[in-house]
Amino acid sequence: MGLGVYSSYYQKIGKYPPEYVSSQFRLPVQLTAGYQFTPRLAVQASAAYSGTSRDLFTVNSNNPASPTGYTEGSFTFTARSISAAALARYTVTSPTARLRVDALGGAGLEHSGGNSRGTISTRPFGQDAQPVESHYSKNILTATLGAGLRYSLNPHFELTYDFTVNRALTSDTRDYITRSLTTAHGLGVRYRFGSR
């Protein structure tokens, strides 16, 4: 069982979205669980999550689509991202060494979604405000290969670092085609049940 921080093309550490003053700092957190079949072979499943929320107020005093030529809007945007993976892990160095190197391979799922809620008015100060709401969701299935480092602190705790390269296979949108090869990093601490 492990807990750590995560960063990838889909879940970057830092302000999101970076172009807005009201952006929030995002730090994806990753939870990992695994099972050891042999001293060298194991499987692990992980999920990383991050989310943000921000408020936005807009004014357009020259809007030809408005009957008064004026529109203003007040919105709250929320966004969430989940990166899940199921990987096989094979230790290529001695499984009893303090520092171990692993080969990783498996599949992943990138999910992003969110919503926007607020009001739009054609008169100042929201005199005729109308509620508006929108949602979005995107899922990308990936094939994953990578390498991992594990440093044993004692028989139960170890420091870990995983680096993976992810190839997009399918998506419910088309923009993944131009971003089909991405990378991800995970740094954390894991607890091993039982004895080594």
Side-chain angles (χ1 to χ4, degrees), residues 98-115:
R98 184 173 289 272
L99 178 63
R100 298 181 293 282
V101 179
D102 302 323
L104 305 171
L109 176 67
E110 298 288 346
H111 169 79
S112 61
N115 61 67

Side-chain angles (χ1 to χ4, degrees), residues 12 14-26 51-56 77-79 136:
K12 296 180 175 68
K15 285 191 173 183
Y16 177 84
E19 65 269 20
Y20 291 104
V21 175
S22 60
S23 300
Q24 295 180 340
F25 186 85
R26 182 162 70 170
T52 59
S53 177
R54 66 183 178 88
D55 297 322
L56 181 66
F77 297 93
T78 59
Y136 76 91

